[in-house]
C-alpha cells in the first residue's frame, strides 16, 4: 500500500508506518516517540495528512495522536497544525450521523426495515467516536422488493436517483445497489445484495438480515449485521478492493 504515493515522495513509507501505528488498538503497542516527532517536519506532515486522507483514516489517526503522551513533545504550534483538520472532520462526522439517523427515521415511519452496513454501523459499534470511522456514503440493506419503494420515499426527503435510465438499468443489471444523492453532499446506497452478481462467491443477504442485531440508542434503534456477518462482509469488500484502503481494513 505505501507504494501508491511512492512516486511522489520518498517520505510515504515512513508516513504510512506512523499512520498504521496510530490506527492500531492501544493494546497493540505504543507509538514511537521518534515517529511522532517527525511530524515537526512540514513536508513529512503534509505527506502524513495526504496519505491518511487517501486511506480514509485521518480522523482516527488524529484522534489517537491527540491522546498520546508522546505528542506533547511537539511544540504547541506544530501540534496545532497537525491536529487542525480534526475540527472539520468532527463537524462532518456530526452532520453525517444526523443525516444517517434522519434517513433511518424516514424509512422507519414507512415501516421499511433496513440493515445499516459498513461505516454507518461500525462507527456506532466498534469505534469510540464517529470521527474515527469516516463515512463516504450510507449503505443500507433491504429486501429487493422494497428497494424501489424506499427510493421513492427518500426522493421526498431530497434524494435523487441517477437521471439516466441507462445508468439505472446498469445498476440494476450489473450491480447490487441503487445510489441516491442529496444536494447537501450525502449519498445513500440501497443494497439488495452484498456482492456483484458476477462474483464466484456471494454472501446471502436474506441470511444477513435474518441474523441482524439491534443497537438501542436515544436517537432510535439501529439494525446492523451480526459481528460474524459484518466480518465476512468487510473481508469480501477488502478482497474486491485489493485491500487498498486502511479504512475498510
Amino acid at each position: 500500500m505505501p507504494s501508491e504515493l511512492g512516486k511522489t515522495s520518498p517520505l510515504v513509507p515512513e508516513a504510512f508506518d506512523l499512520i498504521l501505528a496510530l490506527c492500531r488498538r492501544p493494546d497493540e503497542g505504543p507509538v514511537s516517540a521518534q515517529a511522532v516527532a517527525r511530524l515537526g517536519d512540514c513536508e513529512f506532515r503534509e505527506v502524513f495528512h495526504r496519505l491518511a486522507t487517501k486511506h480514509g483514516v485521518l480522523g482516527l489517526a488524529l484522534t489517537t495522536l491527540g491522546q498520546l503522551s508522546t505528542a506533547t513533545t511537539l511544540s504547541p504550534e506544530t501540534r496545532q497544525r497537525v491536529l487542525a483538520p480534526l475540527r472539520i472532520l468532527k463537524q462532518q462526522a456530526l452532520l453525517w450521523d444526523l443525516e444517517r439517523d434522519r434517513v433511518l427515521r424516514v424509512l422507519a415511519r414507512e415501516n421499511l426495515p433496513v440493515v445499516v452496513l459498513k461505516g454507518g454501523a461500525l462507527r456506532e459499534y466498534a469505534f469510540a467516536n464517529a470521527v474515527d470511522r469516516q463515512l463516504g456514503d450510507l449503505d443500507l440493506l433491504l429486501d429487493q422488493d422494497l428497494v424501489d419503494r424506499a427510493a421513492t420515499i427518500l426522493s421526498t426527503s431530497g434524494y435523487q436517483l441517477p437521471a439516466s435510465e441507462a445508468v439505472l438499468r446498469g445498476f440494476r443489471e450489473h450491480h447490487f445497489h441503487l445510489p441516491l444523492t442529496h444536494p447537501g453532499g450525502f449519498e445513500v446506497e440501497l443494497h439488495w445484495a452484498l456482492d456483484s452478481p458476477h462474483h464466484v462467491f456471494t454472501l446471502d443477504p436474506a441470511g444477513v438480515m435474518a441474523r441482524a442485531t439491534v443497537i438501542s440508542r436515544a436517537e432510535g434503534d439501529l439494525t446492523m449485521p451480526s459481528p460474524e456477518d459484518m466480518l465476512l462482509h468487510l473481508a469480501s469488500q477488502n478482497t474486491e478492493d485489493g485491500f487498498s484502503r486502511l479504512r475498510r481494513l
Side-chain angles (χ1 to χ4, degrees):
M1 282 185 280
S3 62
E4 288 180 339
L5 300 178
K7 294 181 179 179
T8 60
S9 172
L11 298 175
V12 165
E14 187 182 358
F16 185 85
D17 286 344
L18 175 58
I19 292 167
L20 191 59
L22 291 170
C23 290
R24 292 193 180 108
R25 293 189 180 276
D27 58 2
E28 293 181 356
V31 180
S32 164
Q34 183 178 1
V36 172
R38 290 288 287 118
L39 292 166
D41 177 78
C42 180
E43 184 180 358
F44 182 85
R45 188 165 61 245
E46 181 181 348
V47 172
F48 170 85
H49 280 148
R50 182 158 48 93
L51 191 59
T53 299
K54 182 179 179 66
H55 281 276
V57 294
L58 183 59
L60 176 58
L62 294 183
T63 298
T64 303
L65 185 65
Q67 297 169 349
L68 293 179
S69 59
T70 51
T72 60
T73 60
L74 298 171
S75 70
E77 294 78 13
T78 297
R79 181 182 169 86
Q80 183 178 8
R81 291 190 183 99
V82 173
L83 298 179
L86 193 56
R87 182 178 62 85
I88 295 177
L89 290 174
K90 286 181 177 179
Q91 292 173 348
Q92 292 172 341
L94 175 61
L95 289 174
W96 250 122
D97 278 355
L98 291 172
E99 181 61 14
R100 175 200 58 192
D101 294 339
R102 184 183 79 89
V103 167
L104 294 179
R105 286 194 298 269
V106 167
L107 296 175
R109 282 199 299 266
E110 299 296 330
N111 296 313
L112 274 171
V114 297
V115 176
V116 183
L117 303 172
K118 300 190 291 188
L122 283 170
R123 64 202 287 150
E124 291 284 343
Y125 178 76
F127 293 91
N129 305 291
V131 72
D132 293 348
R133 178 50 166 90
Q134 291 174 232
L135 201 61
D137 51 42
L138 179 61
D139 297 274
L140 304 176
L141 176 65
L142 66 165
D143 189 276
Q144 187 167 4
D145 294 337
L146 299 178
V147 169
D148 287 338
R149 183 178 163 212
T152 299
I153 291 169
L154 290 180
S155 69
T156 65
S157 295
Y159 282 86
Q160 299 175 341
L161 284 165
S164 167
E165 286 297 328
V167 171
L168 279 173
R169 187 167 58 252
F171 272 102
R172 294 183 187 278
E173 294 177 358
H174 303 291
H175 291 272
F176 46 96
H177 66 265
L178 284 181
L180 296 97
T181 57
H182 191 281
F186 304 106
E187 183 172 341
V188 172
E189 291 186 352
L190 298 175
H191 290 248
W192 57 85
L194 298 165
D195 312 270
S196 166
H198 308 296
H199 284 185
V200 175
F201 173 82
T202 58
L203 299 173
D204 174 23
V208 170
M209 287 187 282
R211 292 185 295 270
T213 60
V214 178
I215 299 176
S216 297
R217 310 171 306 144
E219 302 84 359
D221 290 348
L222 186 151
T223 304
M224 61 169 283
S226 69
E228 296 84 357
D229 284 326
M230 180 69 80
L231 179 60
L232 284 174
H233 187 213
L234 293 174
S236 172
Q237 291 282 293
N238 273 301
T239 302
E240 180 184 352
D241 289 350
F243 290 86
S244 59
R245 293 292 181 271
L246 280 178
R247 179 175 66 182
R248 285 189 171 177
L249 185 59

